[in-house]
Amino acid sequence: MAVTRWIPDEAVKILAEAGEVRVSSADRPLSVAELREFTAGASAIVGMLHDRIDGEVADAAGPQLKVVANVAVGYDNVDVPALAERGVVVTNTPGVLTEATADLTFGLILALTRRLGEGERLIRAREPWSFHLGFLLGSGLQGKTLGVVGLGQIGRAVARRALAFGMRIVYTGRKPAPSEVESALAAEFVPLPELLERADVVSLHCPLTAATRHLIDADALRAMKPGAYLVNTTRGPVVDEAALSDALEAGEIAGAALDVFEREPSVEERLLEREDVVLTPHLGSATVETRTEMAVLAARNVVSVLAGNGPLTEVQA
Ligand code: 8YV
């Protein structure tokens, strides 16, 4: 079993009960060549978002490879059809990171609309400041509209938080959510153009696919209200970062918060300069509890597949 980067001990112990485990000691993503070399001969690969796991990696690993367990709910880094062709099962970690990711999303919404990053930077820069009634005014959430793009588990968890903050929910996706979900959230299904026109905060929770790459492009940004905010905690390439910088420069939207980036870990230079942008380094699921649960679920998937009992949370090709 080959684990491409550090995972919590709890998960290593589970894997070790099923056989020999090697964990990459490099404190960085493995290069394509290193990944192939490191996984050669493995029956299972435990990988994560920076590992591009495709048919060639599987071929280099060899015919004994049975399972690729991605420690993430997103699996755009894995070529699932190519692995299915080779009889390799792919698993992800849905469910266990829903609340942590929704918490981070709401933290970003608050940081953005209440200008917390700007305030923090100002104090740390030892700038003189004093309270006055017009100082660093943000935008309230009460009575505003949250537009959720992708009302899956994470989108729903964000919508629940938004309801508690007195927001209205509109959402879009490939199809409407079940009616009980809609009514619990008082959520209205609308096409994307209408969501962009109506939402005060647009929050992205769709997976990255060919259909969602650059879903938020120059036209989409132009369709948003000038006072609206964009939040991305899914995958960077869902947003065209250059178009986002242009839109912010042109005053087409009020601000953006990004936890994920188009060319991670690089960030569009112009965004780094802006006060109306909040940036965090892919922290959606970054709590001790959640990362442990994710790794443990990945390990359990591996053990279950290798024991012939099938995967627990399989990704369908
Ligand atoms: C992971 C994520 O931490 O689950 C996902 O899809 O983006 C994060 O929760 C990250 O992908 C590391 O593998």
Side-chain angles (χ1 to χ4, degrees):
M1 287 170 270
V3 182
T4 65
R5 203 159 179 183
W6 177 88
I7 58 171
D9 287 347
E10 288 88 332
V12 177
K13 278 188 199 129
I14 292 169
L15 291 171
E17 281 169 22
E20 187 215 313
V21 187
R22 54 176 185 272
V23 181
S24 167
S25 55
D27 187 20
R28 57 172 174 76
L30 297 177
S31 68
V32 173
E34 287 171 333
L35 183 64
R36 288 187 196 168
E37 201 188 318
F38 182 72
T39 55
S43 54
I45 300 174
V46 176
M48 53 206 80
L49 96 159
H50 47 55
D51 303 313
R52 175 85 211 132
I53 303 176
D54 54 16
E56 286 171 14
V57 170
D59 291 341
Q64 75 301 321
L65 180 67
K66 297 279 176 301
V67 54
V68 168
N70 207 39
V71 192
V73 66
Y75 50 85
D76 46 282
N77 59 309
V78 183
D79 186 341
V80 183
L83 295 193
E85 265 172 36
R86 291 161 174 81
V88 178
V89 171
V90 178
T91 66
N92 67 342
T93 62
V96 293
L97 47 77
T98 301
E99 302 302 327
T101 308
D103 286 346
L104 190 274
T105 305
F106 229 83
L108 289 179
I109 292 174
L110 289 169
L112 185 60
T113 56
R114 298 301 300 274
R115 305 174 64 178
L116 303 186
E118 274 178 81
E120 238 246 340
R121 282 191 291 277
L122 179 134
I123 291 187
R124 287 184 187 277
R126 297 174 171 78
E127 296 278 336
W129 64 278
S130 72
F131 172 90
H132 66 88
L133 289 182
F135 181 53
L136 268 188
L137 300 188
S139 187
L141 295 178
Q142 185 82 34
K144 300 283 174 63
T145 299
L146 174 71
V148 180
V149 178
L151 197 68
Q153 293 190 59
I154 297 171
R156 291 173 200 183
V158 171
R160 282 200 302 276
R161 285 156 177 75
L163 266 189
F165 276 79
M167 298 185 82
R168 275 190 289 271
I169 318 294
V170 295
Y171 75 99
T172 198
R174 277 172 305 161
K175 53 181 179 8
S179 58
E180 62 277 12
V181 172
E182 274 196 344
S183 45
L185 297 169
E188 190 186 341
F189 182 69
V190 295
L192 179 64
E194 185 178 336
L195 180 145
L196 296 171
E197 261 174 42
R198 286 174 57 185
D200 299 292
V201 178
V202 174
S203 194
L204 305 176
H205 301 290
C206 52
L208 172 63
T209 63
T212 63
R213 185 174 293 273
H214 283 193
L215 183 71
I216 304 300
D217 59 8
D219 289 340
L221 290 157
R222 212 167 294 121
M224 287 172 66
K225 296 193 219 180
Y229 299 91
L230 177 71
V231 179
N232 188 10
T233 55
T234 176
R235 284 290 180 270
V238 175
V239 175
D240 179 340
E241 267 178 36
L244 174 62
S245 304
D246 292 342
L248 288 163
E249 283 165 13
E252 287 169 2
I253 64 169
L258 307 177
D259 185 49
V260 288
F261 303 94
E262 220 183 318
R263 287 167 288 275
E264 227 165 279
S266 299
V267 180
E268 160 86 15
E269 194 58 37
R270 287 181 291 157
L271 294 176
L272 295 171
E273 304 298 327
R274 299 196 63 88
E275 287 290 4
D276 53 5
V277 171
V278 176
L279 303 165
T280 49
H282 205 134
L283 298 179
S285 61
T287 68
V288 173
E289 298 85 347
T290 299
R291 286 285 164 80
T292 304
E293 282 189 74
M294 289 165 69
V296 163
L297 178 55
R300 292 212 169 110
N301 266 300
V302 167
V303 170
S304 187
V305 172
L306 295 185
N309 296 326
L312 307 174
T313 49
E314 184 175 14
V315 168
Q316 297 301 333

